[in-house]
Amino acid sequence: MATSIERLLWSIALPGFGQFLNGKLIKGLVIVFLEFLINVQANFNGVIISSFHGDIEKAIAETDYLWLMFYPCLYFFAMWDSFKDAGGGKNSYSFLPFVSSAYFVTVGCIYSSTFKLFGVLLGPIWLPILCVIPGVSVGVILMKIISKKHNEPI
């Protein structure tokens, strides 16, 4: 039997796979369909390839930002949903690191064509990936603060 962590990791690999492992076939199919739709419309795979080759200007030019902005919310929701359905996230506020990450990564997408970190333009792949770190951090801190205030175990 798959664990909640295994299902979370499969959702990281491809949103919807965790739902399949949880036996939620319709939900999984919807998430996989949305993943492919957003991926194709945003030209996400081409952007990833250009970014990995270090051609950030090309990656920015290839990106359809209006579609790409849907991706973080779908991605982090799919992770949270598969993790929760598999028995993870027992704390009432354990969704906060996922939600906070979705927000921070979306903001990273918005500023990825202009924001420079130490003079380096990171673009639509690397800046949003780096935004996961403050997203998870803020989410965990909020979860701990709110849980403590409501006397819930973490």
Side-chain angles (χ1 to χ4, degrees), residues 138-153:
V138 167
V140 168
I141 291 166
L142 286 173
M143 180 178 69
K144 288 181 178 184
I145 291 170
I146 295 170
S147 294
K148 186 174 181 179
K149 184 176 180 178
H150 292 110
N151 295 320
E152 289 194 26

Side-chain angles (χ1 to χ4, degrees), residues 11-152:
S11 285
I12 290 171
L14 185 71
F17 279 12
Q19 285 74 12
F20 291 150
L21 287 174
N22 286 333
K24 309 288 179 145
L25 300 180
I26 301 298
K27 190 188 298 184
L29 284 171
V30 169
I31 291 172
V32 168
F33 171 77
L34 290 171
E35 151 70 25
F36 278 94
L37 176 67
I38 294 167
N39 187 305
V40 169
Q41 294 297 322
N43 192 34
F44 200 37
N45 286 347
V47 172
I48 291 169
I49 291 168
S50 295
S51 294
F52 270 74
H53 285 285
D55 196 346
I56 301 303
E57 294 294 338
K58 182 179 177 187
I60 291 168
E62 292 177 334
T63 304
D64 186 326
Y65 284 93
L66 296 179
W67 278 96
L68 184 63
M69 286 180 52
F70 287 111
Y71 198 82
C73 290
L74 176 68
Y75 193 73
F76 285 98
F77 172 78
M79 284 190 281
W80 163 248
D81 181 69
S82 65
F83 179 66
K84 178 81 170 167
D85 276 353
K90 299 292 185 192
N91 177 292
S92 299
Y93 305 102
S94 56
F95 66 90
L96 285 170
F98 295 88
V99 171
S100 182
S101 293
Y103 294 153
F104 274 78
V105 172
T106 299
V107 171
C109 287
I110 292 167
Y111 288 103
S112 67
S113 65
T114 57
F115 181 82
K116 293 182 179 182
L117 187 62
F118 304 112
V120 177
L121 183 63
L122 298 172
I125 299 300
W126 302 118
L127 182 60
I129 286 173
L130 285 177
C131 288
V132 171
I133 296 166
V136 169
S137 301
V138 167
V140 168
I141 291 166
L142 286 173
M143 180 178 69
K144 288 181 178 184
I145 291 170
I146 295 170
S147 294
K148 186 174 181 179
K149 184 176 180 178
H150 292 110
N151 295 320
E152 289 194 26

